[in-house]
């Protein structure tokens, strides 16, 4: 685990000391956009063309998982290549090895892909990465933006519209709290290095789950009757909650299965065939329990909880 500093790999765990034991996620560095050619953008830097782009992902990572769900729901499997990193993230960060090879450059580590894009890059080396195979560079490494490109540009007019005009305002209003207290909240609880920072983060997680549980009364999805971006963003954390976060990140007040509506929502989404294909519990569990030496130094992978993901749910 580490980061690049002026193009050099530095082995380093997250530094929480400067922030009172609080884990702070760095913002993503590559923020370009894939676009269709149209009168407004006659010559885009990264044109929407089938086969041109590749996603670098980890099956363990909830942020990368969003992009894989979009790729599946939009039917982009044949047009958008995927390279999966090895689930163990060790001293050199994400690696390609043992069945998780990198086909374009034969890279051993994900940081090599960042260096192709910027030889003097400084910052964390994260998944997901959207890579332009024609220009040989990274377009974007921010999942919340990559999913919108898959929805509106690469997958334009295909599959479901996950942020329809009429629901946009409501989706955009839900996203920030779900990000802060749920998606990132579980990490802030798990990576906290003081009791105070942990208490603050974990309270936020469960307050937000209570809020969402109440919101789901009389609703099949977060914004009414259809799956939207808000559900996908929430799902990738919920599906990891009982298998990992509940104990690894000490989010232990309740399990997901103690929230009837959130548990039903999670199954409703998981049981969609295009979503189910993207969920890899083997990578999820191996990654978390193996890659965080400050939390689980023995690397023992705890026994898997009995969870019936196929328990019937009203679709
Ligand atoms: N804001 C980014 C966050 C991505 C992220 O933090 N990914 C984690 C994996 S879950 C990662 O690659 N971490 C490696 C590191 O921080 O060194 C996004 O949503 O795309």
């Amino acid at each position: 685990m580490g980061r690049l500093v002026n193009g050099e790999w530095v082995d380093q765990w997250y530094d929480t000391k400067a922030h009172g034991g609080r884990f702070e996620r760095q913002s993503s560095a590559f923020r370009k956009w894939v676009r269709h050619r149209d009168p407004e953008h006659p010559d885009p830097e990264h044109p929407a063309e089938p086969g041109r782009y590749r996603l670098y992902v980890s099956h363990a990572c909830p942020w990368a998982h969003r992009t894989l769900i979009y790729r599946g729901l939009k039917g982009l499997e044949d047009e958008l290549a995927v390279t999966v990193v090895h689930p163990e993230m060790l001293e050199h960060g994400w690696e390609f090895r043992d069945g998780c090879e990198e086909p374009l450059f034969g890279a051993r580590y994900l940081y090599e892909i960042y260096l192709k894009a910027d030889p003097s890059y400084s910052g964390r080396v994260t998944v997901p990465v959207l890579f332009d195979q024609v220009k040989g560079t990274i377009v974007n490494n921010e999942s919340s933006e990559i999913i919108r490109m898959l929805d509106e540009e690469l997958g334009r007019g295909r599959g479901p519209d996950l942020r329809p005009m009429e629901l946009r305002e409501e989706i955009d209003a839900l996203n920030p709290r779900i990000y802060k207290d749920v998606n990132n909240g579980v990490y802030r609880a798990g990576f906290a290095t003081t009791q105070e920072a942990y208490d603050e983060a974990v309270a936020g997680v469960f307050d937000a789950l209570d809020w969402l549980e109440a919101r789901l009364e009389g609703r099949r999805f977060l914004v009414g009757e259809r799956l939207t971006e808000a559900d996908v963003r929430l799902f990738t954390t919920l599906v990891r909650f009982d298998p990992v976060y509940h104990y690894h990140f000490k989010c232990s007040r309740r399990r997901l299965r103690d929230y009837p509506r959130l548990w039903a929502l999670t199954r409703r989404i998981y049981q969609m065939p295009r979503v189910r294909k993207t969920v890899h519990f083997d990578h999820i569990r191996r990654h978390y329990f193996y890659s965080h030496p400050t939390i689980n130094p023995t690397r023992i992978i705890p026994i898997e909880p009995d969870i019936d993901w196929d328990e019937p749910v009203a679709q």
Side-chain angles (χ1 to χ4, degrees):
M1 167 73 120
R3 61 204 301 271
L4 285 170
V5 178
N6 296 323
E8 297 287 332
W9 182 259
V10 179
D11 187 6
Q12 180 193 72
W13 188 244
Y14 293 118
D15 179 16
T16 57
K17 283 203 190 68
H19 316 284
R22 289 176 186 80
F23 165 69
E24 295 197 359
R25 194 173 292 277
Q26 195 196 44
S27 55
S28 307
F30 296 92
R31 310 297 283 264
K32 297 267 175 76
W33 216 264
V34 171
R35 290 195 193 282
H36 270 276
R37 280 180 222 282
D38 59 28
E40 215 183 306
H41 309 100
D43 190 19
E45 188 177 348
H46 301 288
E49 285 167 6
R52 177 163 177 151
Y53 299 94
R54 175 174 296 270
L55 276 174
Y56 289 94
V57 297
S58 157
H59 281 316
C61 167
W63 321 99
H65 193 182
R66 300 170 167 179
T67 67
L68 289 176
I69 292 175
Y70 268 66
R71 176 175 174 264
L73 291 174
K74 302 297 275 188
L76 290 167
E77 285 95 339
D78 294 337
E79 296 170 24
L80 178 60
V82 166
T83 298
V84 179
V85 299
H86 193 275
E88 293 167 16
M89 189 186 67
L90 306 176
E91 58 273 23
H92 292 95
W94 294 114
E95 296 183 28
F96 302 107
R97 64 174 161 92
D98 301 327
C100 295
E101 269 70 37
E102 199 286 312
L104 278 190
F105 310 104
R108 174 71 208 273
Y109 301 112
L110 183 65
Y111 72 68
E112 295 168 49
I113 306 302
Y114 275 68
L115 293 177
K116 301 262 177 228
D118 177 0
S120 60
Y121 176 77
S122 290
R124 300 212 74 88
V125 172
T126 57
V127 284
V129 167
L130 182 65
F131 191 82
D132 181 337
Q133 304 182 101
V134 172
K135 293 219 157 127
T137 194
I138 295 175
V139 181
N140 195 301
N141 68 335
E142 171 49 49
S143 64
S144 59
E145 295 179 353
I146 298 173
I147 59 176
R148 293 206 177 158
M149 283 177 242
L150 299 192
D151 196 21
E152 295 158 17
E153 302 293 338
L154 289 167
R156 184 181 287 188
R158 313 245 308 247
D161 178 359
L162 291 152
R163 198 163 153 269
M165 248 341 156
E166 67 279 13
L167 302 179
R168 217 158 257 203
E169 222 173 286
E170 216 176 333
I171 295 167
D172 292 354
L174 285 174
N175 282 340
R177 181 159 179 202
I178 294 178
Y179 169 79
K180 174 177 165 285
D181 287 332
V182 183
N183 305 135
N184 203 36
V186 294
Y187 278 87
R188 287 192 297 118
F191 286 154
T193 55
T194 61
Q195 185 71 45
E196 198 189 350
Y198 163 76
D199 290 346
E200 200 177 279
V202 82
V205 170
F206 286 99
D207 285 353
L209 293 181
D210 291 345
W211 160 63
L212 291 165
E213 178 75 5
R215 182 181 169 90
L216 283 167
E217 186 178 0
R219 289 188 166 102
R220 287 171 55 246
F221 294 99
L222 283 175
V223 188
E225 289 305 295
R226 57 192 280 190
L227 181 80
T228 68
E229 181 188 282
D231 301 294
V232 175
R233 290 175 50 133
L234 177 62
F235 171 78
T236 64
T237 296
L238 295 185
V239 80
R240 287 160 175 75
F241 202 88
D242 287 0
V244 176
Y245 301 149
H246 177 69
Y247 39 129
H248 185 65
F249 279 170
K250 305 187 185 76
C251 292
S252 41
R253 179 188 280 160
R254 283 187 212 105
R255 309 167 312 165
L256 170 69
R257 286 164 291 163
D258 299 323
Y259 289 93
R261 298 184 198 118
L262 284 168
W263 170 225
L265 174 76
T266 308
R267 272 153 36 238
R268 188 169 290 127
I269 300 173
Y270 175 82
Q271 290 173 15
M272 296 177 179
R274 286 171 185 271
V275 173
R276 176 192 296 263
K277 272 201 271 187
T278 67
V279 182
H280 297 266
F281 288 116
D282 52 342
H283 279 229
I284 291 174
R285 289 170 46 80
R286 178 113 203 139
H287 166 68
Y288 284 98
F289 294 117
Y290 217 83
S291 309
H292 299 149
T294 57
I295 304 178
N296 188 28
T298 60
R299 291 188 163 142
I300 288 170
I301 301 179
I303 192 165
E304 203 170 350
D306 280 335
I307 302 176
D308 183 6
W309 296 100
D310 286 314
E311 188 185 310
V313 58
Q315 286 299 327

